[in-house]
């Protein structure tokens, strides 16, 4: 039987405002517990919320970036449930009239482009944190996070594979980072994701029972958790069972999901309009100002980079997947004067370093300008590719300039034809037998055989000889 | 006559002419209030030392030339206004030890105006009640007859003013909690337009209906108090940009030509006959002075009570969720687990009426009943508001009884919540529509005071207070005080 997977994502994006959505407390991450919780965040009696305008601006920016409708009148609602890290006993959110609706983003997998619908993006306040580990028989409550502004971005059930879900997640991640409205830090919980997963027989219309998978807070886990859940559902149905509509928690250590609560156990959140907050009214002027300040977004940037630097569609798409990486590329390309080489390096050595160090481009010890210097030395034939690689490695641990490193490593490429000719003659004299064989061979075999001599010459020159020059000189002398 | 039983206006004049110092007046007021409190239980706590200290500062400030409008005047706050450093109980065991680290804006405004709080007045728990019998700190008794209730939920503030324990007090009104106790105790009280006074630091019952206002002996005192209490407050998003104004400006204005609407729906068989005739006599006094009485219809007004008892409990059920025993307030002993902590802290901390309304509200908001109750109630609310808007195109004011009967006996209605709820039948619509309403003494029935209610258009408090003041120039019901024994 052919199964089809149906996935929708709910992404919680912490907005990078300095203060909370309804209080003046700081939103900075990693401070001592409860040092960033004032009377509003503690839910003390008589205290009232005062909205942070910046959160409306950021939500509107996101809406514009995904071509969505920005509702000029949206309202806040209360979602009621008891939990110790939810101080008021309700979360202030937007159920009935969200600020952003009906957007879409494009994702690319290999050469296929698909459009994923965004149902809505609404503003809400984050809860605090319950700390179960450090307290024997007790739970610690840290309300520093309580009241941090979020937009919850809810997709249509438009994704058909875990790969697509990851591509969509990465696209949203790139957009919020481009906009500067979220730091995108998944480890710190600034960007979190729940997946609604169901399966159906390919070709059928009706959706299967859906399972909400929670706690999938890295790109890697999203793919693994969804794939695991899809397998679990298919197995269950093929074994004659049914999928129960429920919420499951992903356990990355065991790579499995386990049941949290069933539909019957689900809370009745008793949503109703929050009487402490007036409707959010966004004027035409406000929206026009926000639109004016929108930065260049991934697709526009990719298009421009292709035109400006002559790089391929693929390279442009990868380079622009992250705003900081795109800016790094652009600076390196401008500085070096070679877009193509810059793209090769950013997608090659730089990406390799990002993977190996599990870090971000801001932390890269080689600035875009220094990479530009290195590329210049490749373009002007000072370095061959092997030498360039060695200089790059050295740059990762040294502050010395590219030219200093070339000098100290002795990697300056030999382009002096006289010097190369001398080496070639020496190699030919040392390998007279191979020269005989070459000269006796058919022309179409000679092409392969020349590689041996090139290798010997490069070895003899300590890797510094210009490979093109070596090739040219060898062919003329061997032919002679 | 002792200055402590006189109007706020008289006390301010005495202070300003330096015929009495604030220390003397505050001391006299506290002594009297403490003595009477044993009988009527109008106060939950006193702030004697703090008040005397503030009085000394006020006398110094006056010597230094300060002209703050309420400088040195003793007042009291309903115990749901947070007062920094003092216990604020909201009439509940769950907050019996709660000390707020901030002042309510209304408290702050009055302090800035120079007023001195001598203590916190008793109230129905979380402002839920119409008799003040729902207080965790004991029922308040009506100074006119200690066997009768003073009304609620601001029964403590009303009783305190009626007994001359304080000349003026703050109060709040969610469905009649200022006007009904004012009517029962022969005092004057105004619920301003929704948003006129900040709700910041006022412990919420039903956020879309709650509004602070003063209770005092006269309309003139109300105007003085409201001028200090009202403000536009950035800390309350629902606070009106109108802010405060000179509410005394229309006190001298004649009622000649004033069009007063009498809703037919307010004068029906559920209104006590004696209260009805008292109301008509009071209105006749205004008519004699040139006011024009017009019968009007408020077609949907009969739906006020059911709509209110969906909306108010619904909001309360969420507003009171924060009292969970986790961060502040009452916590049960030795909780087994989290659910036990929640269940017992709330079961033991809240009184019966509060629990009833939380249950009603939770039910009304549940997914299966939300449309049938909450949504429907909001639709009714809009219709009621539209009725008032249309009425104020025909008339300047609306008048009628404040309550269907005079004050009833303690315990008389405690077994029948829905009969108790009928107490608010004439007052609730003003909260649903957000319009201002006031109650002034209109007469007596069998020795108990009866109130006349005036409802006005949005932000028309000054005009309403002017009419009330004119009425108090031609009648003396407001200056009649109960016999109290010290």
């Amino acid at each position: 039987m052919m199964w089809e997977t149906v996935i929708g994502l709910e992404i919680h994006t912490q907005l990078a405002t300095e203060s909370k959505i309804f209080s003046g407390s700081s939103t900075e991450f990693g401070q001592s517990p409860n040092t960033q919780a004032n009377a509003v965040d503690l839910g003390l009696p008589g205290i009232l919320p005062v909205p942070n305008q910046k959160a409306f601006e950021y939500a509107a920016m996101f809406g514009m970036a995904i071509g969505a409708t920005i509702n000029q009148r949206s309202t806040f609602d209360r979602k009621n449930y008891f939990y110790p890290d939810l101080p008021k006993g309700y979360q202030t959110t937007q159920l009935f009239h969200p600020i952003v609706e009906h957007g879409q983003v494009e994702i690319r997998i290999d050469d296929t482009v698909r459009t994923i619908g965004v149902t809505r993006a609404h503003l809400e306040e984050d809860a605090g944190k319950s700390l179960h580990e450090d307290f024997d028989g007790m739970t610690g409550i840290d309300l520093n996070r309580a009241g941090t502004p979020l937009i919850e971005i809810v997709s249509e059930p438009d994704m058909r594979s875990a790969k697509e879900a990851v591509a969509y997640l990465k696209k949203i991640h790139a957009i919020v980072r481009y906009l500067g409205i979220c730091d995108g830090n998944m480890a710190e919980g600034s960007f979190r994701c729940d997946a609604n997963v169901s399966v159906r027989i390919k070709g059928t219309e009706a959706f299967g029972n859906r399972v909400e998978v929670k706690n999938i807070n890295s790109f890697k886990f999203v793919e693994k958790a969804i794939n695991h859940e899809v397998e679990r559902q298919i197995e269950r149905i093929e074994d004659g069972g049914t999928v129960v509509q429920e919420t499951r928690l992903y356990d990355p250590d065991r790579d499995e999901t386990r049941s949290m609560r069933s539909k019957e156990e689900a809370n009745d959140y008793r949503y109703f309009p929050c009487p402490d907050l007036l409707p959010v009214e966004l004027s035409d002027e406000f929206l026009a100002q926000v639109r004016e300040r929108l930065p260049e977004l991934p697709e526009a940037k990719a298009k421009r980079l292709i035109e400006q630097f002559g790089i391929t569609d693929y390279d442009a798409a990868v380079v622009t997947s992250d705003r900081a990486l795109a800016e790094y590329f652009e600076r390196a390309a401008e500085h070096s004067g070679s877009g193509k080489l810059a793209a090769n390096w950013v997608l090659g050595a730089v990406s390799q370093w990002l993977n190996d160090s599990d870090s971000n481009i801001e932390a890269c010890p080689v600035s875009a300008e220094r990479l530009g210097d290195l590329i210049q030395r490749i373009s002007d034939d000072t370095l061959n590719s092997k030498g360039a690689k060695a200089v790059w490695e050295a740059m990762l641990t040294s502050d010395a300039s590219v030219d200093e490193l070339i000098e100290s490593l002795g990697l300056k490429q030999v382009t002096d034809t006289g010097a190369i000719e001398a080496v070639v003659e020496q190699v030919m004299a040392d390998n007279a037998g191979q020269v005989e064989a070459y000269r006796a061979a058919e022309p179409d075999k000679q092409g392969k055989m020349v590689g041996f001599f090139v290798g010997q010459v490069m070895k003899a020159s300590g890797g510094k000889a210009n490979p093109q020059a070596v090739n040219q000189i060898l062919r003329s002398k061997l032919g002679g | 006559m002792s200055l402590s039983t006189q109007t706020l206006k008289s006390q301010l004049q005495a202070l300003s002419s330096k015929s009495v110092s604030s220390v003397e007046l505050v001391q006299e007021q506290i002594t009297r209030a403490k003595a009477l409190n044993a009988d009527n239980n109008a106060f939950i706590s006193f702030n004697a030392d703090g008040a005397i200290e503030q009085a000394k500062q006020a006398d110094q400030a006056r010597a230094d030339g300060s002209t703050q409008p309420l400088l040195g005047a003793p007042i009291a706050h309903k115990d749901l206004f947070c007062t920094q450093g003092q216990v604020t109980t909201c009439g509940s065991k769950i907050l019996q030890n709660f000390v707020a680290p901030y002042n309510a804006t209304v408290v702050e405004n009055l302090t800035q105006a120079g007023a001195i709080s001598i203590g916190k007045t008793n109230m129905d728990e979380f402002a839920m009640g119409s008799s003040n019998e729902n207080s965790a700190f004991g029922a308040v008794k009506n100074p006119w007859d200690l066997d009768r209730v003073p009304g609620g939920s601001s029964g403590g503030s009303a009783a305190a003013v009626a007994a001359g324990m304080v000349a003026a007090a703050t109060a709040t009104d969610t469905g009649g909690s200022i006007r009904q106790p004012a009517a029962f105790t022969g005092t004057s009280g105004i619920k301003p337009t929704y948003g006129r006074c900040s709700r910041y630091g006022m412990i919420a019952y039903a956020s879309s209906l709650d509004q602070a206002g003063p209770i005092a002996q006269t309309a003139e005192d109300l105007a003085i108090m409201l001028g200090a209490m009202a403000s536009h407050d950035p800390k309350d998003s629902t606070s009106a940009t109108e802010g405060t104004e000179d509410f005394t400006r229309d006190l001298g204005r004649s009622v000649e030509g004033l069009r007063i609407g009498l809703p037919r729906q307010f004068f029906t068989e559920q209104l006590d006959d004696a209260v009805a005739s008292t109301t008509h006599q009071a209105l006749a006094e205004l008519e004699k002075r040139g006011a024009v009485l017009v019968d009007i219809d408020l077609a949907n007004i009969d739906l006020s009570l059911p709509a209110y008892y969906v909306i108010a409990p619904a909001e309360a059920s969420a507003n009171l969720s924060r009292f969970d025993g986790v961060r502040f307030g009452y916590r049960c002993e030795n909780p087994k687990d989290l659910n036990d902590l929640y269940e017992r802290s709330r079961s033991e901390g809240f009184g019966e009426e509060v629990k009833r309304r939380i249950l009603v509200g939770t039910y009304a908001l549940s997914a299966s009943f939300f449309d049938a109750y909450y949504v429907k109630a909001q639709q009714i609310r809009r219709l009621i508001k539209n009725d008032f808007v249309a009425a104020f195109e025909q008339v300047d004011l609306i008048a009628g009884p404040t309550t269907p009967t005079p004050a009833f006996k303690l315990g008389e209605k405690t077994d029948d919540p829905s009969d108790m709820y009928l107490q608010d039948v004439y007052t609730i619509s003003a909260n649903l529509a957000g319009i201002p309403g006031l109650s002034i003494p209109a007469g007596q029935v069998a020795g108990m005071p009866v109130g006349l209610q005036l409802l006005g258009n949005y932000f028309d408090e000054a005009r309403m207070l002017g009419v009330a003041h004119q009425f108090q120039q031609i009648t003396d019901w407001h200056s009649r005080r109960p016999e109290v024994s010290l």
Side-chain angles (χ1 to χ4, degrees):
Chain A
M1 206 166 329
M2 284 289 283
W3 291 97
E4 182 172 59
T5 305
V6 177
I7 304 163
L9 294 188
E10 291 169 15
I11 304 170
H12 286 90
T13 307
Q14 277 187 356
L15 297 179
T17 54
E18 280 174 25
S19 59
K20 294 183 177 178
I21 186 166
F22 299 123
S23 92
S25 298
S26 165
T27 55
E28 200 180 327
F29 180 82
Q31 300 302 302
S32 306
N34 299 310
T35 53
Q36 290 174 178
N38 66 14
V40 178
D41 310 316
L42 286 165
L44 290 187
I47 292 298
L48 296 169
V50 177
N52 180 347
Q53 299 292 325
K54 204 78 188 163
F56 304 157
E57 182 184 326
Y58 283 3
M61 284 170 80
F62 178 74
M64 290 169 187
I66 60 164
T69 307
I70 317 291
N71 291 321
Q72 286 185 259
R73 189 175 194 277
S74 65
T75 54
F76 284 106
D77 306 297
R78 291 181 181 177
K79 175 182 180 179
N80 296 285
Y81 64 96
F82 283 100
Y83 206 69
D85 60 24
L86 186 72
K88 298 187 297 293
Y90 56 82
Q91 180 193 29
T92 309
T93 179
Q94 297 190 307
L95 176 73
F96 299 110
H97 304 286
I99 189 164
V100 170
E101 282 182 291
H102 317 306
Q104 56 182 51
V105 296
E106 282 186 351
I107 58 167
R108 171 194 288 269
I109 297 203
D110 301 326
D111 283 335
T112 317
V113 173
R114 288 203 60 217
T115 300
I116 307 296
V118 175
T119 317
R120 55 190 283 146
H122 61 256
L123 281 163
E124 61 186 24
E125 57 183 342
D126 211 341
K129 278 184 190 161
S130 295
L131 309 166
H132 303 289
E133 286 83 12
D134 304 334
F135 304 89
D136 187 31
M138 290 189 287
T139 296
I141 306 295
D142 178 6
L143 295 178
N144 282 356
R145 199 181 69 175
T148 299
L150 296 174
I151 46 174
E152 181 178 341
I153 303 160
V154 182
S155 82
E156 292 288 316
D158 285 349
M159 288 152 274
R160 295 291 172 265
S161 68
K163 248 197 162 93
E164 287 188 2
V166 172
Y168 167 79
L169 189 65
K170 284 189 169 163
K171 191 56 176 278
I172 297 290
H173 189 259
I175 290 171
V176 298
R177 293 261 297 152
Y178 266 78
L179 295 172
I181 62 174
C182 172
D183 67 20
N185 191 324
M186 293 179 88
E188 290 177 3
S190 306
F191 190 81
R192 315 194 289 266
C193 171
D194 302 329
N196 287 304
V197 180
S198 64
V199 295
R200 64 182 171 193
I201 293 166
K202 208 171 168 71
T204 55
E205 281 283 314
F207 291 120
N209 276 344
R210 109 189 115 87
V211 167
E212 184 176 5
V213 184
K214 284 191 175 290
N215 195 36
I216 39 181
N217 295 323
S218 81
F219 293 119
K220 196 169 75 188
F221 290 162
V222 170
E223 187 156 2
K224 290 178 84 170
I226 292 174
N227 280 333
H228 173 274
E229 179 55 25
V230 168
E231 269 173 46
R232 190 190 68 84
Q233 292 186 14
I234 293 173
E235 257 173 48
R236 208 173 166 88
I237 299 170
E238 290 185 340
D239 287 350
T242 49
V243 173
V244 183
Q245 186 175 330
E246 62 180 346
T247 303
R248 296 179 73 86
L249 200 68
Y250 178 66
D251 181 345
D253 297 331
R254 297 167 149 203
D255 187 25
E256 62 179 33
T257 61
R258 59 170 181 272
S259 184
M260 247 177 98
R261 57 174 177 262
S262 71
K263 189 187 174 191
E264 287 70 33
E265 295 165 311
N267 278 315
D268 179 349
Y269 291 117
R270 308 188 309 281
Y271 286 97
F272 76 106
C274 180
D276 285 333
L277 291 161
L278 301 174
V280 181
E281 310 268 4
L282 304 180
S283 67
D284 293 337
E285 293 89 323
F286 174 83
L287 291 179
Q289 281 169 13
V290 172
R291 198 172 288 281
E292 231 165 67
R293 287 201 298 268
L294 274 188
E296 187 182 36
L297 289 163
E299 264 127 43
K301 195 182 274 286
K303 210 170 155 224
R304 183 175 59 77
L305 294 180
I306 292 165
E307 282 167 14
Q308 195 173 335
F309 296 107
I311 60 176
T312 64
D313 287 10
Y314 176 82
D315 287 357
V318 179
V319 155
T320 56
S321 65
D322 179 81
R323 179 179 176 173
L325 191 68
E327 283 168 0
Y328 182 93
F329 160 77
E330 198 170 346
R331 287 207 311 276
E334 270 171 3
H335 195 80
S336 67
S338 170
K340 281 181 184 172
L341 277 174
N344 288 346
W345 275 86
V346 168
L347 298 188
V350 176
S351 295
Q352 181 71 47
W353 180 84
L354 288 172
N355 272 337
D356 293 348
S357 62
D358 193 22
S359 186
N360 52 40
I361 192 69
E362 286 92 341
C364 182
V366 179
S367 70
E369 286 70 23
R370 289 179 78 211
L371 175 61
D373 289 341
L374 178 61
I375 292 168
Q376 273 183 13
R377 290 291 165 265
I378 300 166
S379 301
D380 70 8
D381 284 338
T382 306
L383 285 173
N384 61 28
S385 63
K386 201 173 159 205
K389 194 88 182 82
V391 174
W392 166 263
E393 293 297 335
M395 287 165 86
L396 290 171
T397 52
S398 164
D399 286 337
S401 76
V402 169
D403 287 339
E404 283 164 2
L405 287 170
I406 293 171
E407 194 62 44
S408 66
L409 294 171
L411 290 170
K412 195 168 158 57
Q413 183 167 244
V414 178
T415 46
D416 172 2
T417 41
I420 295 173
E421 272 177 19
V423 179
V424 167
E425 279 161 12
Q426 185 60 49
V427 166
M428 285 171 65
D430 292 348
N431 298 282
Q434 269 88 346
V435 175
E436 288 282 303
Y438 176 90
R439 286 180 175 154
E442 297 291 318
D444 61 324
K445 293 250 171 80
Q446 285 179 337
K448 267 192 177 172
M449 294 170 79
V450 80
F452 165 78
F453 295 101
V454 173
Q456 294 299 312
V457 172
M458 293 305 288
K459 198 172 162 189
S461 74
K464 289 185 281 187
N466 178 307
Q468 282 90 37
V470 171
N471 237 305
Q472 210 184 342
I473 292 165
L474 262 174
R475 280 179 195 273
S476 87
K477 287 208 181 285
L478 284 167
Chain B
M1 192 164 84
S2 156
L3 189 60
S4 61
T5 59
Q6 292 185 27
T7 63
L8 179 64
K9 176 87 183 295
S10 312
Q11 292 186 349
L12 289 169
Q13 278 168 347
L15 287 166
S16 141
S17 68
K18 298 186 186 169
S19 63
V20 69
S21 73
S22 177
V23 171
E24 288 163 347
L25 180 59
V26 166
Q27 186 59 64
E28 189 184 336
Q29 205 77 61
I30 291 171
T31 306
R32 180 180 167 85
K34 280 189 168 172
L36 291 171
N37 203 47
D39 289 335
N40 64 26
N41 201 29
F43 279 79
I44 288 177
S45 61
F46 287 99
N47 173 38
D49 295 347
I52 294 295
E53 189 50 44
Q54 277 176 279
K56 283 180 191 161
Q57 289 167 16
D59 286 331
Q60 185 58 52
R62 191 173 294 284
D64 294 344
S66 167
T67 56
Q68 290 156 278
L70 292 167
L71 186 59
I75 60 159
H77 290 301
K78 184 177 182 178
D79 207 16
L80 63 48
F81 289 97
C82 288
T83 45
Q84 191 171 352
Q86 283 171 263
V87 172
T88 298
T89 69
C90 218
S92 182
K93 181 180 172 184
I94 215 161
L95 284 178
Q96 62 188 356
N97 297 315
F98 175 68
V99 177
Y102 42 83
N103 276 332
T105 297
V106 162
V107 169
E108 195 60 36
N109 287 350
L110 283 165
T111 305
Q112 290 304 316
I116 295 166
S117 168
I118 65 163
K120 309 289 290 284
T121 59
N122 207 339
M123 54 182 287
D124 283 303
E125 185 179 6
F126 284 99
M128 298 179 190
S130 308
S131 69
N132 226 303
E133 293 164 293
N134 298 334
S135 168
F137 304 92
V140 177
K141 288 154 192 170
N142 194 322
W144 290 85
D145 176 353
L146 295 175
D147 289 333
R148 289 180 188 270
V149 303
S153 65
S154 311
S157 292
V161 171
M165 299 160 88
V166 74
T170 57
T172 61
D173 189 314
T174 305
S177 282
I178 289 175
R179 292 161 287 163
Q180 186 248 16
F184 277 13
T185 58
T187 56
S188 304
I190 183 166
K191 178 205 92 75
T193 309
Y194 182 79
R196 183 67 102 163
C197 293
S198 167
R199 292 187 298 113
Y200 178 85
M202 223 175 92
I203 298 177
Y205 158 27
S207 314
S208 74
L209 302 160
D210 292 343
Q211 181 56 210
I215 292 178
Q217 292 179 25
T218 65
E220 184 171 24
D221 284 359
L222 294 181
I224 294 167
M225 280 289 282
L226 186 56
M229 290 169 72
S231 67
H232 171 60
D233 184 4
K235 287 188 277 192
D236 173 2
S237 306
T238 63
S239 151
T241 49
E242 276 77 359
T244 192
E245 59 185 75
D246 177 10
F247 293 105
T248 64
R249 66 158 191 261
D250 278 344
L251 292 183
R253 188 168 162 188
S254 153
V255 299
E256 178 78 41
L258 181 81
R259 293 177 64 82
I260 301 178
L262 308 182
R264 289 190 183 87
Q265 291 79 0
F266 280 5
F267 297 91
T268 60
E269 67 280 2
Q270 66 184 332
L271 178 62
D272 178 271
D273 289 343
V275 174
S277 65
T278 307
T279 309
H280 285 301
Q281 280 164 32
L283 291 167
E285 294 292 339
L286 288 169
E287 198 173 23
K288 268 190 250 168
R289 297 299 189 283
V292 181
L293 304 182
V294 189
D295 285 331
I296 61 164
D297 277 303
L298 295 170
N300 299 288
I301 209 91
D302 291 343
L303 297 171
S304 300
L305 207 62
Y308 174 88
Y309 277 102
V310 170
I311 293 167
E315 292 182 10
S317 71
N319 283 336
L320 271 58
S321 292
R322 68 190 63 196
F323 306 105
D324 57 6
V326 173
R327 297 168 312 288
F328 53 80
Y330 177 80
R331 177 186 285 193
C332 69
E333 299 216 347
N334 303 317
K336 285 204 307 282
D337 55 25
L338 182 60
N339 276 340
D340 191 45
L341 169 75
Y342 284 151
E343 279 178 29
R344 284 202 291 121
S345 298
R346 288 167 67 80
S347 299
E348 295 164 16
F350 287 137
E352 284 308 304
E353 184 61 25
V354 171
K355 285 185 224 173
R356 180 178 295 120
R357 295 195 196 187
I358 290 173
L359 287 174
V360 168
T362 303
Y363 182 82
L365 289 178
S366 61
S368 337
F369 298 103
F370 181 74
D371 289 340
Y373 290 106
Y374 186 84
V375 171
K376 189 64 78 183
Q378 290 292 7
Q379 287 166 349
I380 293 171
R381 185 175 187 174
R382 208 164 307 123
L383 293 177
I384 290 167
K385 183 181 171 177
N386 293 345
D387 284 352
F388 277 115
V389 169
F392 286 121
E393 283 169 11
Q394 300 171 47
V395 297
D396 303 310
L397 278 184
I398 291 170
T402 308
T403 59
T405 65
F408 47 89
K409 291 258 168 86
L410 283 153
E412 190 181 320
K413 295 183 193 290
T414 42
D415 292 337
D416 188 350
S418 38
D419 189 32
M420 185 77 90
Y421 296 168
L422 282 174
Q423 275 301 312
D424 300 325
V425 68
Y426 304 129
T427 47
I428 269 174
S429 55
N431 300 81
L432 290 170
I435 58 169
L438 63 76
S439 178
I440 46 174
Q444 290 187 354
V445 169
M448 292 304 291
V450 168
L452 172 71
Q453 182 177 221
L454 300 180
L455 301 174
N457 209 340
Y458 296 95
F459 301 104
D460 210 10
E461 292 92 342
R463 182 78 185 107
M464 295 162 64
L465 288 164
V467 174
H469 180 71
Q470 288 301 308
F471 181 79
Q472 292 181 339
Q473 299 308 293
I474 52 181
T475 61
D476 70 345
W477 300 110
H478 61 284
S479 52
R480 302 198 188 184
R481 303 263 64 89
E483 298 281 328
V484 293
S485 50
L486 279 166

